[in-house]
PDB file of all heavy atoms in Angstrom:
ATOM      1  N   TYR A 379     -55.086 -59.236 -16.637  1.00  0.00           N
ATOM      2  CA  TYR A 379     -55.019 -57.771 -16.688  1.00  0.00           C
ATOM      3  C   TYR A 379     -53.889 -57.181 -15.851  1.00  0.00           C
ATOM      4  O   TYR A 379     -53.594 -56.005 -15.962  1.00  0.00           O
ATOM      5  CB  TYR A 379     -56.351 -57.154 -16.256  1.00  0.00           C
ATOM      6  CG  TYR A 379     -57.402 -57.269 -17.332  1.00  0.00           C
ATOM      7  CD1 TYR A 379     -58.433 -58.191 -17.241  1.00  0.00           C
ATOM      8  CD2 TYR A 379     -57.344 -56.450 -18.458  1.00  0.00           C
ATOM      9  CE1 TYR A 379     -59.383 -58.295 -18.246  1.00  0.00           C
ATOM     10  CE2 TYR A 379     -58.289 -56.549 -19.469  1.00  0.00           C
ATOM     11  CZ  TYR A 379     -59.305 -57.481 -19.353  1.00  0.00           C
ATOM     12  OH  TYR A 379     -60.234 -57.580 -20.354  1.00  0.00           O
ATOM     13  N   SER A 380     -53.283 -57.981 -14.961  1.00  0.00           N
ATOM     14  CA  SER A 380     -52.271 -57.382 -14.077  1.00  0.00           C
ATOM     15  C   SER A 380     -51.039 -56.938 -14.872  1.00  0.00           C
ATOM     16  O   SER A 380     -50.445 -55.899 -14.576  1.00  0.00           O
ATOM     17  CB  SER A 380     -51.894 -58.326 -12.934  1.00  0.00           C
ATOM     18  OG  SER A 380     -51.282 -59.485 -13.426  1.00  0.00           O
ATOM     19  N   GLY A 381     -50.682 -57.701 -15.908  1.00  0.00           N
ATOM     20  CA  GLY A 381     -49.501 -57.345 -16.695  1.00  0.00           C
ATOM     21  C   GLY A 381     -49.645 -55.981 -17.356  1.00  0.00           C
ATOM     22  O   GLY A 381     -48.726 -55.159 -17.321  1.00  0.00           O
ATOM     23  N   ILE A 382     -50.837 -55.736 -17.920  1.00  0.00           N
ATOM     24  CA  ILE A 382     -51.075 -54.452 -18.596  1.00  0.00           C
ATOM     25  C   ILE A 382     -50.948 -53.308 -17.589  1.00  0.00           C
ATOM     26  O   ILE A 382     -50.365 -52.260 -17.864  1.00  0.00           O
ATOM     27  CB  ILE A 382     -52.484 -54.459 -19.237  1.00  0.00           C
ATOM     28  CG1 ILE A 382     -52.480 -55.448 -20.403  1.00  0.00           C
ATOM     29  CG2 ILE A 382     -52.907 -53.071 -19.702  1.00  0.00           C
ATOM     30  CD1 ILE A 382     -53.820 -55.655 -21.032  1.00  0.00           C
ATOM     31  N   THR A 383     -51.478 -53.542 -16.396  1.00  0.00           N
ATOM     32  CA  THR A 383     -51.463 -52.499 -15.362  1.00  0.00           C
ATOM     33  C   THR A 383     -50.031 -52.238 -14.886  1.00  0.00           C
ATOM     34  O   THR A 383     -49.597 -51.087 -14.789  1.00  0.00           O
ATOM     35  CB  THR A 383     -52.326 -52.943 -14.158  1.00  0.00           C
ATOM     36  OG1 THR A 383     -53.481 -53.601 -14.642  1.00  0.00           O
ATOM     37  CG2 THR A 383     -52.726 -51.779 -13.289  1.00  0.00           C
ATOM     38  N   LEU A 384     -49.311 -53.316 -14.616  1.00  0.00           N
ATOM     39  CA  LEU A 384     -47.947 -53.151 -14.101  1.00  0.00           C
ATOM     40  C   LEU A 384     -47.034 -52.516 -15.152  1.00  0.00           C
ATOM     41  O   LEU A 384     -46.165 -51.716 -14.836  1.00  0.00           O
ATOM     42  CB  LEU A 384     -47.380 -54.504 -13.647  1.00  0.00           C
ATOM     43  CG  LEU A 384     -48.095 -55.125 -12.440  1.00  0.00           C
ATOM     44  CD1 LEU A 384     -47.562 -56.521 -12.153  1.00  0.00           C
ATOM     45  CD2 LEU A 384     -47.944 -54.245 -11.201  1.00  0.00           C
ATOM     46  N   ARG A 385     -47.260 -52.873 -16.382  1.00  0.00           N
ATOM     47  CA  ARG A 385     -46.452 -52.288 -17.465  1.00  0.00           C
ATOM     48  C   ARG A 385     -46.714 -50.783 -17.551  1.00  0.00           C
ATOM     49  O   ARG A 385     -45.782 -49.984 -17.673  1.00  0.00           O
ATOM     50  CB  ARG A 385     -46.818 -52.971 -18.778  1.00  0.00           C
ATOM     51  CG  ARG A 385     -46.168 -52.406 -20.025  1.00  0.00           C
ATOM     52  CD  ARG A 385     -46.451 -53.355 -21.173  1.00  0.00           C
ATOM     53  NE  ARG A 385     -46.571 -52.708 -22.454  1.00  0.00           N
ATOM     54  CZ  ARG A 385     -47.674 -52.097 -22.915  1.00  0.00           C
ATOM     55  NH1 ARG A 385     -48.752 -52.002 -22.152  1.00  0.00           N
ATOM     56  NH2 ARG A 385     -47.700 -51.562 -24.110  1.00  0.00           N
ATOM     57  N   ALA A 386     -47.995 -50.405 -17.430  1.00  0.00           N
ATOM     58  CA  ALA A 386     -48.321 -48.977 -17.484  1.00  0.00           C
ATOM     59  C   ALA A 386     -47.707 -48.238 -16.286  1.00  0.00           C
ATOM     60  O   ALA A 386     -47.308 -47.076 -16.399  1.00  0.00           O
ATOM     61  CB  ALA A 386     -49.832 -48.789 -17.496  1.00  0.00           C
ATOM     62  N   LEU A 387     -47.603 -48.929 -15.154  1.00  0.00           N
ATOM     63  CA  LEU A 387     -46.994 -48.301 -13.976  1.00  0.00           C
ATOM     64  C   LEU A 387     -45.486 -48.110 -14.144  1.00  0.00           C
ATOM     65  O   LEU A 387     -44.849 -47.442 -13.344  1.00  0.00           O
ATOM     66  CB  LEU A 387     -47.261 -49.152 -12.725  1.00  0.00           C
ATOM     67  CG  LEU A 387     -48.682 -49.059 -12.134  1.00  0.00           C
ATOM     68  CD1 LEU A 387     -48.904 -50.147 -11.095  1.00  0.00           C
ATOM     69  CD2 LEU A 387     -48.935 -47.684 -11.528  1.00  0.00           C
ATOM     70  N   GLY A 388     -44.925 -48.752 -15.159  1.00  0.00           N
ATOM     71  CA  GLY A 388     -43.504 -48.546 -15.454  1.00  0.00           C
ATOM     72  C   GLY A 388     -42.616 -49.746 -15.167  1.00  0.00           C
ATOM     73  O   GLY A 388     -41.389 -49.649 -15.273  1.00  0.00           O
ATOM     74  N   PHE A 389     -43.218 -50.878 -14.797  1.00  0.00           N
ATOM     75  CA  PHE A 389     -42.400 -52.049 -14.476  1.00  0.00           C
ATOM     76  C   PHE A 389     -42.115 -52.888 -15.727  1.00  0.00           C
ATOM     77  O   PHE A 389     -43.022 -53.110 -16.537  1.00  0.00           O
ATOM     78  CB  PHE A 389     -43.112 -52.936 -13.446  1.00  0.00           C
ATOM     79  CG  PHE A 389     -43.233 -52.281 -12.104  1.00  0.00           C
ATOM     80  CD1 PHE A 389     -44.441 -51.729 -11.678  1.00  0.00           C
ATOM     81  CD2 PHE A 389     -42.132 -52.193 -11.270  1.00  0.00           C
ATOM     82  CE1 PHE A 389     -44.547 -51.106 -10.451  1.00  0.00           C
ATOM     83  CE2 PHE A 389     -42.230 -51.568 -10.036  1.00  0.00           C
ATOM     84  CZ  PHE A 389     -43.440 -51.025  -9.624  1.00  0.00           C
ATOM     85  N   PRO A 390     -40.885 -53.395 -15.856  1.00  0.00           N
ATOM     86  CA  PRO A 390     -40.613 -54.325 -16.957  1.00  0.00           C
ATOM     87  C   PRO A 390     -41.259 -55.680 -16.649  1.00  0.00           C
ATOM     88  O   PRO A 390     -41.495 -56.004 -15.472  1.00  0.00           O
ATOM     89  CB  PRO A 390     -39.087 -54.441 -16.951  1.00  0.00           C
ATOM     90  CG  PRO A 390     -38.692 -54.135 -15.547  1.00  0.00           C
ATOM     91  CD  PRO A 390     -39.716 -53.184 -15.000  1.00  0.00           C
TER      92      PRO A 390
END
Side-chain angles (χ1 to χ4, degrees):
Y379 284 105
S380 64
I382 291 174
T383 321
L384 294 174
R385 175 170 148 278
L387 284 168
F389 293 103

